Amino acid sequence: MDTIDTKIMGRDFRLACTSEEKPLLLRAIEVVSTRMDEIRRSGKAMGVDRVAMLAALQITYETLSEKNKIEKNGVTNLDNLVLERKIEIMVSTLDVALGKVGP
């Protein structure tokens, strides 16, 4: 197992992953961190939990919207499994950011 040390909204996290998962997880961290920073800069005062929830909802909505487009165009089950895995990684990253899963 590999580990990734990262910081999201000022909080340090250590995530475990396989070497195969690492590139995608790094990308997921980047997406989540960027989205959370964008929401935080929106000007509304809100706690980290609310920022994380809004980021999760936005990212999941976008991912599911893309999945629906793909399904309408007759994509294989393998492609759907890849999308589902990406969603699982995003949700896992957000769980860590919210403190639901300890490093």
Side-chain angles (χ1 to χ4, degrees):
M1 288 296 267
D2 289 346
T3 59
I4 297 172
D5 291 313
T6 189
K7 186 174 280 207
I8 299 174
M9 289 191 62
R11 292 184 176 179
D12 294 318
F13 299 98
R14 175 168 285 164
L15 308 171
C17 62
T18 65
S19 57
E20 294 82 23
E21 294 171 326
K22 193 170 187 173
L24 188 57
L25 184 54
L26 286 168
R27 179 67 182 125
I29 291 166
E30 180 183 335
V31 168
V32 168
S33 183
T34 299
R35 187 61 56 92
M36 289 178 73
D37 289 342
E38 289 169 358
I39 293 168
R40 177 58 68 101
R41 287 192 307 267
S42 72
K44 296 180 182 176
M46 60 183 89
V48 174
D49 289 352
R50 183 162 172 80
V51 170
M53 182 58 66
L54 290 173
L57 288 170
Q58 288 178 3
I59 293 167
T60 302
Y61 176 84
E62 290 167 5
T63 303
L64 291 174
S65 177
E66 286 301 312
K67 184 177 178 183
N68 285 339
K69 288 179 192 175
I70 289 170
E71 287 175 351
K72 288 179 182 177
N73 293 323
V75 178
T76 66
N77 285 336
L78 179 59
D79 292 331
N80 286 335
L81 290 174
V82 170
L83 276 174
E84 288 173 10
R85 183 64 184 136
K86 288 179 183 180
I87 292 170
E88 288 172 5
I89 290 170
M90 285 186 252
V91 169
S92 176
T93 302
L94 286 168
D95 283 345
V96 170
L98 289 170
K100 292 182 179 178
V101 179

